[in-house]
Amino acid sequence: MRELVIDRLIGSGFQRPAGTTVEAHRAELERIAAKLAYLDRADLATLAEGLMTMGEGKAGDRWPREVRVVKFARTISAPPPGFDRKVTSFMACAVGRRAQAEGWAGPLLSALVKPGPPPTSEYALAQLREQAAEERRRLVIIEERLAAGQALSEDDARFRGFWDRREKMAAQLVRGEDMSGEQ
């Protein structure tokens, strides 16, 4: 991140935003680097190219604010669920624990990785519970087909694999295992 984005933009003449102290700007760059550590080299190169056109100030040579950089990076590549603070904190809170206990943590995780605020209304949570019930019904049908010796369709096999991975990840997040190397 530092080499491919920060050093490149500084080398191109980007300056700290007007009214920002050197220390505050340094801290902001460190936060940006930490938040975007999930990006691979190709994504970082794309980010740098895009940021070159997003300079602020009259001359367009001032660093964009942290929120703009992070939002732009998410359009290039979304962070994995265990890396997104919105996801990890919400899954570990009372709603996530309730979802895990009641069997709808997977659909909750799917909803949280989408852009926007977390689902909090009773209606939205009821929709997630219904989605979980539909997914469990589909899994029962898949298991019955397997028990009868039928081969799974590609779509059913993909769904079963996705469901297993998502449920495992949801359980880990509820336990506070954010999978980004942080606790």
Side-chain angles (χ1 to χ4, degrees):
M1 170 71 183
R2 177 156 298 285
E3 172 191 341
L4 295 174
V5 178
I6 295 173
D7 292 348
R8 177 161 180 224
L9 294 176
I10 290 171
S12 296
F14 266 50
Q15 301 172 28
R16 63 186 157 93
T20 303
T21 66
V22 171
E23 192 54 42
H25 182 59
R26 185 176 297 129
E28 184 173 43
L29 292 178
E30 290 303 318
R31 284 192 310 273
I32 290 169
K35 288 178 180 180
L36 304 183
Y38 68 92
L39 294 172
D40 64 23
R41 291 184 69 80
D43 291 340
L44 289 170
T46 303
L47 176 65
E49 288 298 321
L51 290 176
M52 295 290 283
T53 67
M54 294 173 59
E56 296 180 353
K58 288 181 184 178
D61 63 349
R62 302 286 178 174
W63 272 89
R65 300 313 305 213
E66 178 179 349
V67 69
R68 286 189 68 209
V69 174
V70 172
K71 280 185 176 184
F72 178 59
R74 287 174 186 245
T75 66
I76 295 168
S77 178
F83 206 88
D84 187 331
R85 194 71 191 127
K86 173 183 89 171
V87 175
T88 58
S89 61
F90 206 79
M91 288 300 291
C93 80
V95 175
R97 291 189 303 272
R98 187 174 95 203
Q100 182 68 29
E102 295 174 2
W104 50 278
L108 175 61
L109 176 58
S110 291
L112 289 171
V113 299
K114 294 177 182 172
T120 56
S121 71
E122 277 308 313
Y123 176 77
L125 298 179
Q127 293 293 103
L128 295 176
R129 286 193 275 289
E130 180 56 34
Q131 180 184 344
E134 289 174 22
E135 289 176 358
R136 282 192 299 276
R137 285 190 289 273
R138 183 173 179 187
L139 285 170
V140 167
I141 292 168
I142 290 170
E143 294 302 322
E144 288 172 351
R145 289 178 184 158
L146 283 174
Q150 296 178 8
L152 289 183
S153 70
E154 188 176 313
D155 187 49
D156 283 346
R158 189 176 314 117
F159 173 77
R160 186 176 183 218
F162 162 77
W163 191 89
D164 288 341
R165 286 187 306 276
R166 188 187 62 183
E167 291 299 311
K168 180 181 177 187
M169 183 178 292
Q172 289 175 311
L173 290 167
V174 168
R175 290 191 304 266
E177 300 170 16
D178 73 8
M179 301 171 300
S180 70
E182 302 171 7
Q183 286 295 326

